[in-house]
Amino acid sequence: MDEPEIKAAVKTYILNEYLPGEDPAALTDTTELMTTGILDSIAVLKVVTFLESHFGITLEPHEAVVENLNTLSAIARLVMSKKA
Amino acid sequence: MKTDVLIVGGGPGGAAAAMFLAREGIKPVIVEAETFPRYHIGESMTGAGGKVLRDLGLAEEMYRRKYPTKQGVKVYGQSTAGSWFVPVTGRDENWNLFEWDTWQVRRSDFDKMMLDEAVSRGATLIHGMAGKPLLKSDGSVGGAQVRMADSDKVQDIESEVLLDCSGQATWLANRGGVTGPKYLGAYDKQIAIFSQVVDTVRDNGGTRETHKDNAVIFYQKKFHWGWFIPLDEQVVSVGIVCPSAYFLEKKESIRDFYIRELRELHPELSRRIPEIKLVEDVHVIPNYSYQVNGFCGKGFICIGDAHRFIDPIFSFGLTVTMREGQFVAPVVRAYLEGANRDKANPFAEHQLFCETGIDVLEDVLDSFWEHPLSFAHCVYSRYTEYMTDMFAGRIYGHERQPTPALLSFRKLLKREGERERSYETADQYSIPIGSRYHPERAAIWEVNSPVETTEKWLGPR
Ligand SMILES: Cc1cc2nc3c(=O)[nH]c(=O)nc-3n(C[C@H](O)[C@H](O)[C@H](O)COP(=O)(O)OP(=O)(O)OC[C@H]3O[C@@H](n4cnc5c(N)ncnc54)[C@H](O)[C@@H]3O)c2cc1C
């Protein structure tokens, strides 16, 4: 799975779970999810659980930080590095 | 007067130490300045704290006194949905987790029970105030001068080992030059304001998580939080902790500040206190966070708050002081039997063991505030078991610390390696990690600093 595919999968998940009815174009690769409050901390933890089960990875606590989870791009980079 | 072991301070640390010493066949003298019962803060225990009482054979008495049985701690963060629960657990001999309960206590009552029990098991209680330590020609501590409460006369009490269990008074550390310097802790800029309330709304949902006696913690902003700790069927201890700067900026009386905070701090807190009815004075403790370097040496060992206190948020105070009282007993016995007599610090190993354990707590507390997301990730999913260990106060080397969860926190806090190195030489031993948050204070942590104590460095306050 490459970066665009990862982004697409995470985007679909977030749109369905947290932004139902939202125009998909409004959620870009660089939209800030956490620092703008689109996702609260509980939601982010659910995203983490999704990443772990969907991509078969396990995040260490020091990886579950804002910098790694704030945008679709950052999330995709994180998943790629874990799969590498 | 002469004794093998002199204990300064008859709080839970001193009383626990006395009872464990009695088990080793040693009958200590305890000097306590106050007349018990007396008010004291620090009411909620962890699983490991409760275990000390069980080890002392006091469980039945704890239940008989109907101290609330805490099943766990519930934490409410920024969003009400964002709450989490950590149950109280124990570990069996195969290190399997099991569900447990522990207690919350009204300290006036609990401390008296502990001290009375220590006396009935063989300790001698002296009502008086320790003044100057008695120093031998080689610089070792050989007892204390005590001002007796009844006669107001000063009496020398000589000892082979002195245990400083004086709590935040940090008696020995304040006597200049016996211990290493006393430093500010990382939470030194905090202030705690607390009282007791009645007619509260308690949980009662029939599960461990909704048990009526659980401790509840609330926070909204960083370093700004409150506790709700049931003390009996009616009375609940409620406290607010925040940066001192925030308190000062409000320009309110302590009482007005407290009452407003009960209303405003968190919706889950105000919901539990529909009408504010206080049954205790409003108390204040500022700057409660500190650390004493070199807290063990020839003829002395400091225990619990007498050498270090970080922050009360996860109720580790009683656990640490009573556990240190337990650990110290065989160490003292070996020393009395001749072990390590010629060493510069006969209790160096004990000191390192205790310090490393409390470091675990400091890392946990710092991660909670500095990296809330990873902390929650650990609690919820990644390392739930290890997190219950830390919340239960299983923080020492023989309790499988450091756990992978803790190592991960250290990575986040950028504390890898550094601490290990700091243990190697005497001078660098236990650099207060508060210095990392207050680099402007670094001068007082330098080896040859002209400033010996934080008090001096701060000047008159
Ligand atoms: C705001 C706040 C909230 C807290 N909440 C909790 C909590 O929920 N749970 C928890 O476990 N801990 C809590 N703590 C910590 C807890 O209060 C302490 O860790 C605990 O009381 C330490 O016990 P100790 O026996 O070491 O000292 P203490 O209980 O302080 O006992 C020391 C005794 O020594 C005596 N003494 C002092 N100097 C002398 C002298 N020179 N001569 C003779 N006697 C002397 C004193 O009179 C006192 O009785 C809290 C602390 C604070 C500041």
Side-chain angles (χ1 to χ4, degrees), chain B residues 22-323:
Chain B
R23 291 200 166 175
E24 304 283 339
I26 300 160
K27 298 191 168 165
V29 171
I30 304 175
V31 179
E32 169 56 52
E34 297 213 39
T35 308
F36 283 26
R38 51 106 178 83
Y39 177 86
H40 203 296
I41 193 59
E43 298 139 332
S44 184
M45 274 181 233
T46 66
K51 181 172 184 300
V52 177
L53 300 171
R54 292 179 157 103
D55 290 350
L56 284 169
L58 291 170
E60 219 173 288
E61 181 61 16
M62 295 296 289
Y63 288 123
R64 195 190 67 75
R65 286 176 184 247
K66 297 202 166 54
Y67 289 129
T69 49
K70 170 182 171 183
Q71 308 293 314
V73 52
K74 177 103 176 168
V75 181
Y76 286 95
Q78 270 107 347
S79 63
T80 307
S83 71
W84 39 275
F85 175 70
V86 183
V88 174
T89 57
R91 290 275 189 187
D92 67 16
E93 53 282 13
N94 301 316
W95 210 245
N96 293 317
L97 271 185
F98 61 89
E99 291 188 352
W100 229 358
D101 56 22
T102 186
W103 294 279
Q104 279 157 181
V105 295
R106 181 178 272 110
R107 286 289 300 274
S108 49
D109 188 75
F110 173 75
D111 289 16
K112 181 161 168 30
M113 174 202 86
M114 290 287 281
L115 190 55
D116 288 349
E117 195 62 34
V119 170
S120 77
R121 296 183 189 191
T124 302
L125 176 63
I126 290 184
H127 188 197
M129 173 88 127
K132 275 196 190 134
L134 303 174
L135 297 180
K136 295 188 188 157
S137 52
D138 64 350
S140 64
V141 173
Q145 288 185 347
V146 176
R147 183 169 293 279
M148 311 297 276
D150 49 0
S151 65
D152 208 35
K153 291 215 171 81
V154 175
Q155 188 185 333
D156 284 0
I157 304 183
E158 290 175 34
S159 59
E160 293 292 318
V161 184
L162 184 145
L163 303 182
D164 179 7
C165 304
S166 62
Q168 295 234 338
T170 54
W171 169 71
L172 204 52
N174 286 348
R175 294 278 149 177
V178 181
T179 66
K182 179 178 172 183
Y183 301 123
L184 297 176
Y187 295 85
D188 168 74
K189 289 179 172 166
Q190 297 285 89
I191 186 168
I193 300 175
F194 43 93
S195 181
Q196 294 173 357
V197 300
V198 288
D199 293 349
T200 63
V201 177
R202 307 249 285 254
D203 288 351
N204 215 347
T207 61
R208 294 196 83 199
E209 179 162 352
T210 54
H211 190 266
K212 66 180 173 39
D213 293 338
N214 286 345
V216 194
I217 302 288
F218 317 87
Y219 72 94
Q220 287 279 12
K221 296 206 183 81
K222 198 174 179 185
F223 302 138
H224 190 164
W225 60 279
W227 77 70
F228 181 96
I229 297 177
L231 296 181
D232 61 27
E233 290 297 319
Q234 274 83 43
V235 180
V236 179
S237 165
V238 181
I240 305 291
V241 182
C242 64
S244 306
Y246 170 79
F247 169 71
L248 293 173
E249 172 195 296
K250 286 285 175 191
K251 297 192 166 59
E252 290 164 331
S253 74
I254 287 163
R255 196 185 168 90
D256 289 350
F257 178 89
Y258 178 74
I259 303 253
R260 187 189 43 71
E261 285 287 312
L262 295 193
R263 289 267 153 276
E264 291 178 6
L265 177 76
H266 200 287
E268 279 295 323
L269 176 59
S270 47
R271 184 179 72 73
R272 283 172 167 75
I273 312 176
E275 202 187 325
I276 300 173
K277 292 189 198 159
L278 305 188
V279 291
E280 172 64 48
D281 295 340
V282 182
H283 298 265
V284 192
I285 303 187
N287 315 102
Y288 49 67
S289 188
Y290 55 84
Q291 177 168 358
V292 176
N293 214 339
F295 61 92
C296 297
K298 276 199 163 156
F300 73 93
I301 298 172
C302 302
I303 285 178
D305 282 21
H307 69 89
R308 186 168 176 185
F309 187 72
I310 305 171
D311 187 83
I313 189 163
F314 297 132
S315 301
F316 292 127
L318 285 172
T319 302
V320 167
T321 201
M322 295 194 303
R323 296 200 76 190

Side-chain angles (χ1 to χ4, degrees), chain B residues 5-21:
Chain B
V5 182
L6 175 60
I7 299 180
V8 173
M19 287 187 257
F20 284 108
L21 284 169

